[in-house]
Every structure is written in structure tokens, then in C-alpha cells.
Amino acid sequence: MTTRTLFRLATWGALVFGVSVAPPPGASRLAAQAAAPLRVPYETFTLPNGLQVIVHEDHSVPVVSVNIWYHVGSGDERAGRTGFAHLFEHIMFMGSQHVPTGEFDKLLEAAGGDNNGSTTEDRTNYFEDAPANALPLMLWLDSDRMGYLVPEITAEKVDLQRGVVQNERRQSYENRPYGLADENILKRLYPPTHPYSWPVIGSMTDLSAATLEDVRNFFRTYYTPNNATLTIAGDVSVSGARQLAEKYFGDIPRGPVVTRPTPPPVQLTADVYGTLEDRVQTPRVYNAWHTQKAFAPDDAALDVLANVLAGGRSSRLYRRLVYELQIASDAVAYQDGSRLDGKFVLWVTARPGHSLGELQRIVDEEVKKVADAGPTPREVQRAQNTFEAQFLSRMERVGSFGGKADQLGFYQYFVGTPDYFQRDLDRYLKVTPADVQRIARSYLADAHRVVLSVVPQGKPELAVQGGVQP
């Protein structure tokens, strides 16, 4: 499953510029932050080939993070040729024209650094963290695979990494309990032509059918300077970062203009029920609704609603299903806002001896209670405190996944402003109980959904019984 998992909930700490102060008695936290706004200073420039560069200076420790966001994800694939973006997450570490296979990691580790990458529906990112004196090495490695990877995309490498990805799919999907649930939900939530209707990892059939030229053309189209954002953050000067970016990336030619058609909004016209028999010990029921894309007006309130319903042990569903009735072992909910659309997912897992129909009735009751009466102010405050704490913990680091370097690129891609930290946090602090009640009614209680039951093999009678079964 590929979710934000509160990825957008950026955090701040001692390393950011702008001081967070405790509000005086009687004053709101929002008012206190208005007096001392959160800022992450940056400078940005664009090379002639279209590569946008963001630089954030943080001299508190002698480390630097390099984070490249390629504006390509599984949503840029097409039906029948899925899994390419995730495949390249692997191929990009297989060596480029001037960096033999295996040398990328060896060179970086010898300099005291590490690296990784990740793929979603909307983007692929690669990042390295290392001592500040390794910055030229990191930029050279990244520029070589951006500008000189195609000659090294051979049939042997593609076949090797295709096998690695297929094995990853077996481990994370086919052979993992409940691992096929997300794929089954997506194909019911979206029409087959929608770019979010397939999982990020792609399908076995599509991965097997991909030709060498298919793979090379995908790289030529999307892994180009003008379709990427490079963020350099840490113990570096803006002038030094500019010189190095120009030196290593300046001669890479611009790629084709990337156009992304926007699919029409998707709405379910009826509740859709499905049953998946799997090698699981206990059944689980998933509810999924269409909601709002990332940073849309109701996106933050949907995050708060998820916290109220199933955000930890004091949430409504966890408290009632797990503690009071003792008929479930867990309860989880999240709002997943992406670039084109959003979905709200809620699941509960039954304890042995209980059917999913029992759990579903409680889920429906609790959703209706929030829609009819709203959450308490304390519940909203608890959710806001949780998000605020996550802001704090994430922004204590410059690099790695979710740190300031990553977040600057994220904000640039989604809202066009790298320093969006304060405005992002404000979205959550402004949510009211009335907002949560309204969105619970409009997006959940009064809307159609996908209800997927995952049951042990041979026990379909444990599933939630409903109308439309595609």
C-alpha cells in the first residue's frame, strides 16, 4: 500500500528559522504562531535545461542531503504497461555510463553516506545523506544516472530488475496477508482507464510484457532535467550549490515536454461490495470512499476525521471495537490525498469467532454519530496535537525521507511554493468540530463506497453482505 501516511504533515524543530513560542494564557496556538510564523528559508533557480534547484542552508551539523523529485509515478503509466516507475526505482541503482554496476553504493558508503528512493502514484524520489564534503560526489552520481543511464539500460539489467520487482510483488502482495486488498479496492474505486486504478508496483503480466524499448522510452520521456526538482539542503552555501549544480547537471539536454491529461472526477453511483478469499487467519473489512486530492479545501479536515474515528487507542472505533466489545483486534483509518484525487480508507480486523457483519454495523454507527452530532472539541484538539507533534519530529532532520529536503521538493511539486510549512500546519489548526461533522456527512455517511471483505479461504460467509458485487 502506498499512502502518504501523514507525509504532508511536515514538522519543525530547532533547525528551522522562526521560533515557536508558547501562547500566553487565553490565547490560541494559532494566534501565537501568527506572531512567530514558521519559516524554512530557501533560494531557488532553474538551469537552462529546465532543472529546478532548491537550496536550503542549515549549518547546525556538517551534513548535506540531496533529494531529487522526478515528476513521474505510476499515474503516468498506461493500462497494459504498468509498473515502470517503480521498476526504475531499482534500475537507477544498477549503474550508469560512468558509474559501473555496484559502484553507486560503494562510493557513497566510502564517503560516509547512504541513499534510498521511493515511488508513489505521482512522483519518484531519490535521496542521499552524507557529510558536507561529499556533496560533489552525490551530485556527480545523480547527474550521471539522469544524463547517462540509457546506454546502460540493457536487456540483462531489465530482466534482472524485473525479476526483483516481481519477487517484491510476491512478498508484498500475493504472499502477504491482506496484501491484495489495496489492488482490489483500486480496481473497484476507479474505472480501468484511470491512472490510479492500478497499484504502484504494477501487475505481473505488464512487467513480463514490457520490452527493452518500452523501458528506454519511459526513461527518455520522464527522467529529464525539465521534469525534475533537485533539492540541496544542509551545510552548504547557495553560491556553492549553484556552482556544483551547473557543473554536474548543466550539460544534460532538456527532454520532451511532459503533458498530463486530467481525468474527469470519479463518483460511485452505488455501494460496491467485494469479497477476497485469502490465506488469512481472521477476516478484515475495508471501507473506501472518494474524497479530495492533496491540499484541497477539505483535505486537512479529512485527516482529522480519520484520527477521530481510528487514530490510536483512544479513537472511537478502536475504543468501542477493541476495548469495549472486544470483537476486533485493530481499527485503522487514513485520508490519502494525491495529485489527481483522494480516498478515505478505513479497515477493521475481526477477532476469531466474529463475522465482518458485526464489525461493519459498528463502523456504520460510529460514522453516523460523527455525521449527526460531530466530534467533541477535545477529539479535534487531540488530533491537532498529534499532527503538531509529527511536524516537530519530522523537521528535526534535514535529509532522509520526510525531512526538510524532501518536504521542500514535495511542497514545490504540489503547491508551487517550497516554503509552505506554516500554511500547511495552519490548515490543521483551523479545523473545527463543525468542519469534521460536515465532511463526515458529505464524504462518508451520504456517499457511496467500496466495501471489501478479506476472508479466510473457503469461508465467504464471513464477508459483509451487500448489493453490487462486481
Side-chain angles (χ1 to χ4, degrees):
M1 179 176 61
T2 308
T3 75
R4 288 181 297 117
T5 318
L6 299 175
F7 173 62
R8 287 179 294 115
L9 302 182
T11 62
W12 76 89
L15 301 183
V16 263
F17 295 78
V19 180
S20 177
V21 295
S28 69
R29 289 176 303 137
L30 199 58
Q33 291 191 10
L38 171 67
R39 291 185 59 250
V40 177
Y42 71 95
E43 290 196 32
T44 184
F45 53 89
T46 302
L47 301 184
N49 59 12
L51 177 66
Q52 184 179 40
V53 184
I54 301 170
V55 182
H56 166 59
E57 293 190 39
D58 182 342
H59 302 286
S60 57
V61 289
V63 297
V64 170
S65 179
V66 172
N67 196 304
I68 295 185
W69 273 54
Y70 288 98
H71 304 160
V72 56
S74 61
D76 294 292
E77 300 158 357
R78 59 185 175 88
R81 287 295 183 269
T82 64
F84 282 28
H86 182 257
L87 180 64
F88 268 106
E89 186 187 320
H90 292 259
I91 291 177
M92 292 280 268
F93 293 98
M94 283 292 292
S96 48
Q97 187 168 332
H98 306 102
V99 183
T101 301
E103 288 298 305
F104 190 103
D105 287 338
K106 289 181 181 178
L107 290 169
L108 195 60
E109 289 170 5
D114 57 22
N115 69 93
N116 213 327
S118 65
T119 310
T120 71
E121 302 94 333
D122 302 316
R123 60 94 183 123
T124 307
N125 83 322
Y126 301 89
F127 55 88
E128 300 91 41
D129 301 322
N133 61 4
L135 179 58
L137 171 64
M138 291 189 284
L139 294 178
W140 175 68
L141 291 170
D142 273 319
S143 65
D144 202 66
R145 60 182 176 183
M146 177 188 284
Y148 304 97
L149 188 74
V150 172
E152 296 300 313
I153 302 178
T154 64
E156 293 76 15
K157 288 184 178 180
V158 171
D159 286 343
L160 175 62
Q161 293 307 318
R162 188 193 339 246
V164 170
V165 172
Q166 288 174 331
N167 187 54
E168 181 182 343
R169 182 184 162 88
R170 293 185 191 99
Q171 292 179 339
S172 301
Y173 288 73
E174 278 87 357
N175 297 330
R176 180 181 180 184
Y178 314 104
L180 290 172
D182 188 55
E183 185 174 46
N184 276 264
I185 290 170
L186 293 176
K187 72 180 183 181
R188 290 174 169 86
L189 203 58
Y190 296 99
T193 56
H194 195 284
Y196 288 173
S197 64
W198 50 81
V200 172
I201 202 168
S203 74
M204 286 286 203
T205 301
D206 292 353
L207 288 169
S208 298
T211 67
L212 178 60
E213 200 56 28
D214 287 336
V215 176
R216 286 177 170 173
N217 285 336
F218 193 81
F219 180 85
R220 293 188 185 105
T221 300
Y222 294 107
Y223 295 81
T224 62
N226 50 299
N227 197 46
T229 300
L230 166 65
T231 302
I232 304 170
D235 191 16
V236 62
S237 68
V238 173
S239 60
R242 179 189 286 269
Q243 290 176 2
L244 291 173
E246 292 172 345
K247 176 180 179 180
Y248 292 112
F249 290 89
D251 62 349
I252 301 175
R254 177 186 290 266
V257 176
V258 175
T259 58
R260 293 181 173 86
T262 301
V266 180
Q267 282 190 329
L268 296 176
T269 57
D271 289 345
V272 179
Y273 290 81
T275 301
L276 172 65
E277 294 187 41
D278 198 1
R279 288 173 289 181
V280 298
Q281 297 298 313
T282 54
R284 175 184 290 177
V285 61
Y286 292 81
N287 288 257
W289 295 263
H290 284 290
T291 53
Q292 288 286 302
K293 63 184 181 180
F295 296 98
D298 290 332
D299 178 44
L302 285 158
D303 272 325
V304 175
L305 173 61
N307 187 277
V308 169
L309 286 173
R313 297 184 178 186
S314 60
S315 63
R316 293 191 177 201
L317 283 171
Y318 198 100
R319 186 174 64 247
R320 188 172 179 196
L321 288 169
V322 179
Y323 286 141
E324 296 175 3
L325 298 177
Q326 298 185 15
I327 62 175
S329 59
D330 64 14
V332 177
Y334 60 88
Q335 152 69 1
D336 184 13
S338 299
R339 188 177 63 87
L340 298 175
D341 192 31
K343 62 181 182 294
F344 190 100
V345 179
L346 188 159
W347 84 68
V348 291
T349 308
R351 285 189 173 179
H354 296 279
S355 73
L356 295 180
E358 295 179 78
L359 276 64
Q360 185 68 17
R361 284 192 293 273
I362 304 301
V363 168
D364 291 344
E365 286 177 11
E366 293 301 324
V367 168
K368 188 174 187 301
K369 287 179 183 178
V370 178
D372 288 346
T376 66
R378 184 172 181 177
E379 286 177 307
V380 174
Q381 182 74 68
R382 187 191 70 224
Q384 291 169 329
N385 290 343
T386 299
F387 300 147
E388 192 169 6
Q390 289 166 345
F391 268 86
L392 284 164
S393 64
R394 285 185 182 274
M395 288 311 297
E396 288 176 348
R397 61 186 187 273
V398 173
S400 300
F401 183 75
K404 286 188 289 183
D406 200 22
Q407 202 71 29
L408 287 163
F410 172 79
Y411 286 139
Q412 173 59 36
Y413 184 45
F414 275 86
V415 298
T417 303
D419 184 12
Y420 202 76
F421 297 88
Q422 182 67 60
R423 280 177 282 181
D424 193 6
L425 178 60
D426 287 346
R427 296 186 311 133
Y428 292 89
L429 300 184
K430 291 176 180 177
V431 173
T432 67
D435 293 330
V436 178
Q437 179 183 0
R438 173 181 57 80
I439 59 114
R441 182 186 308 116
S442 59
Y443 292 103
L444 272 60
D446 292 345
H448 295 298
R449 60 187 166 179
V450 171
V451 180
L452 177 69
S453 300
V454 182
V455 299
Q457 290 178 336
K459 296 186 177 181
E461 69 276 6
L462 297 179
V464 174
Q465 303 302 313
V468 180
Q469 292 266 358

